[in-house]
Amino acid sequence: MKIHCKTILIAATLALCGNATISCNGNNEAAKPQAENIDAEAVAETYATAIERYLTEEIAPNYAKGEVSIPSCTIVSTEESDSNNIKVWGDFWVFNYNLSGDTLTTVSGGSHPGLMHIRKAANHFEVMAFDAVEDGSSYLPSAKRIFGDKFDAWQKISSDEKKREEVRAQFISKYVKAHHIPATMYQDYGWDAVKF
């Protein structure tokens, strides 16, 4: 059974958004969080919530299933002038993990850069459309089209593997703390475990 957590850490989201990132969310069967166990700050909805929900519900299931799905996102730019079409350009990733002892072992995942179109209705946000960078020979042309004058900023972010892994570790750390998962490290296949 797969569950979808509907909450996020608002304090973390606001802090990370200020540093050009979005909070992450995921699914966890083995360490299923109970509503009363989620931190009290994690109850409001933002456009970050919509992005999290989209990545965990629409993108993560396209990969091999894990016990936990945790997106990792770096925002390139936002345009919030129209609440019916909030635009968020970003370098979006999603990873599925299994818990093995105190380590989240990566099962699957990948990169999904592009532009999220988000709508606000009352206190609810939802992703209406996602303009994803295409694969193969269309990768760079579609990225240039989608990011436009933000292309250089996106390219700098997407090529900085060290920073991306730092952001990923922050997102994992905040997720496991919020959901009381007994993990202290994550590990990709063939690599050493990384403490977060």
Side-chain angles (χ1 to χ4, degrees):
M1 176 177 63
K2 186 183 227 178
I3 66 161
H4 300 289
C5 299
K6 300 284 184 187
T7 60
I8 62 170
L9 289 172
I10 291 303
T13 300
L14 295 175
L16 289 174
C17 282
N19 290 321
T21 58
I22 292 181
S23 172
C24 291
N25 191 8
N27 306 311
N28 185 345
E29 185 175 320
K32 182 177 178 179
Q34 300 298 318
E36 62 272 17
N37 292 334
I38 303 299
D39 294 340
E41 294 176 352
V43 294
E45 178 141 339
T46 69
Y47 65 72
T49 314
I51 292 172
E52 293 171 4
R53 190 165 44 242
Y54 185 84
L55 290 169
T56 58
E57 294 180 5
E58 302 299 326
I59 303 294
N62 295 319
Y63 290 101
K65 185 179 178 180
E67 296 169 336
V68 181
S69 293
I70 307 175
S72 176
C73 321
T74 302
I75 300 306
V76 175
S77 184
T78 60
E79 183 182 304
E80 302 178 45
S81 58
D82 181 357
S83 63
N84 288 315
N85 188 15
I86 298 168
K87 297 176 183 176
V88 182
W89 290 265
D91 190 34
F92 307 111
W93 288 73
V94 66
F95 298 93
N96 293 324
Y97 304 93
N98 285 335
L99 183 62
S100 177
D102 66 348
T103 304
L104 287 170
T105 57
T106 306
V107 174
S108 60
S111 171
H112 298 273
L115 168 61
M116 297 269 185
H117 297 270
I118 301 165
R119 173 175 57 200
K120 180 179 181 183
N123 293 321
H124 179 73
F125 291 82
E126 64 180 351
V127 174
M128 301 180 304
F130 178 42
D131 301 334
V133 171
E134 299 171 28
D135 293 330
S137 61
S138 298
Y139 186 79
L140 279 179
S142 65
K144 288 178 179 177
R145 175 178 46 80
I146 291 166
F147 286 96
D149 62 357
K150 303 158 189 62
F151 176 78
D152 290 341
W154 166 73
Q155 203 167 40
K156 183 177 179 182
I157 288 168
S158 67
S159 64
D160 190 343
E161 184 177 353
K162 182 180 178 184
K163 181 64 176 175
R164 183 171 60 247
E165 287 302 307
E166 289 173 3
V167 169
R168 179 182 176 192
Q170 291 171 359
F171 286 45
I172 295 169
S173 177
K174 292 187 185 312
Y175 181 86
V176 300
K177 286 176 186 173
H179 297 90
H180 309 286
I181 298 170
T184 61
M185 297 182 283
Y186 71 94
Q187 184 174 25
D188 292 334
Y189 181 77
W191 292 85
D192 292 335
V194 177
K195 285 201 168 207
F196 52 80

